[in-house]
Amino acid sequence: MTPHEYCADKVAKRGGALFYAVFRLPTEKRQAIVAVHAFRREVEDIAAERSDPALGRLRLEWWRQQLAAVYGGAPQHPVARALQAVVEAYRLPESRFLDIIEGVETDLAASRYPDFAALARYCTQLGSVPNELAARILGYQDPRTVDRVRELGIATRLVRIVCDIGLDARRDRIYLPADEMRRYAVTPAQLLHSRHDSRFRQLVEHQIDRIESTFAAALSDFPAVDREAQHPLLALAAIGRALLREIRADDCRVLDRRTSLTPLRKLWIAWRAG
């Protein structure tokens, strides 16, 4: 298995949103974006395991060393090897990949977020930054495009958080802002035990409304000159919005189930995006 095949197997298998978002791209750009997302997934998986935070920090330090080798050495991991040509070809800054690692460090250290501002900072590192790197690979003419794709990255990350509320709670991880949970009288125990009620539905609807507003604002001001080039990121946003509509239609029941779209529907949405 080549490094790029490893990356595709990690994050872009047939049926997944990323697969359909990038399938129309030329091979070089498709592989580059998949490599960026594979890097994010590799380091993110460290926090997902979460069994030993000290070990997790050691593994993140190893990834910092691999990243340094990407920019001036001989990396060992297949994802790092795939990235080496990518960062050179598209002049991707090392600091952005370090931002992703720092986002995972935040995830290792915190299982709760006091307010939306704290959650947004986390989503910036693991949502906005990968989108910005992808935008650089795809190419753009209007500098406003970078700001818009960063906003779409935050919104897309928040969609994932809403989809995984129940799953994350069972792993003792709550990404809903604590002050908003108090406002709607929803407790961590309620999430852990999958107790769906009207208060929880209202809390999730509040999250959905905010995410929808973020999507709408970013898309309404998205430079027309870059819509075709940035089609994959618009496709991921469109798939995320479709997921939100399904969750709302299902009475926001995300504690005991995970809403998903069929591969055919993802393909159709991705094809029409942009």
Side-chain angles (χ1 to χ4, degrees), residues 15-79:
L18 185 61
F19 176 87
Y20 295 114
V22 302
F23 81 102
R24 292 170 54 186
L25 289 176
T27 299
E28 180 182 317
K29 289 192 174 186
R30 182 175 68 250
Q31 290 180 338
I33 290 176
V34 169
V36 167
H37 279 274
F39 174 85
R40 174 193 55 76
R41 176 68 64 79
E42 285 288 348
V43 295
E44 197 175 356
D45 283 350
I46 295 171
E49 295 169 8
R50 207 181 178 87
S51 57
D52 185 343
L55 178 60
R57 287 189 288 272
L58 285 175
R59 292 174 64 188
L60 286 179
E61 184 56 37
W62 183 84
W63 269 105
R64 282 193 176 91
Q65 295 169 8
Q66 284 295 289
L67 189 58
V70 167
Y71 282 86
Q76 301 170 343
H77 195 280
V79 170

Side-chain angles (χ1 to χ4, degrees), residues 213-251:
S213 294
T214 304
F215 273 132
L219 292 169
S220 67
D221 192 40
F222 203 101
V225 69
D226 290 325
R227 282 185 174 269
E228 180 60 31
Q230 298 292 319
H231 175 271
L233 301 183
L234 296 174
L236 288 174
I239 291 170
R241 296 185 91 180
L243 270 170
L244 289 182
R245 289 192 291 270
E246 288 295 316
I247 289 170
R248 199 191 291 269
D250 195 31
D251 198 37

Side-chain angles (χ1 to χ4, degrees), residues 4-26:
H4 283 298
E5 288 171 342
Y6 177 95
C7 292
D9 187 65
K10 185 78 178 179
V11 296
K13 292 181 179 178
R14 185 180 295 273
L18 185 61
F19 176 87
Y20 295 114
V22 302
F23 81 102
R24 292 170 54 186
L25 289 176

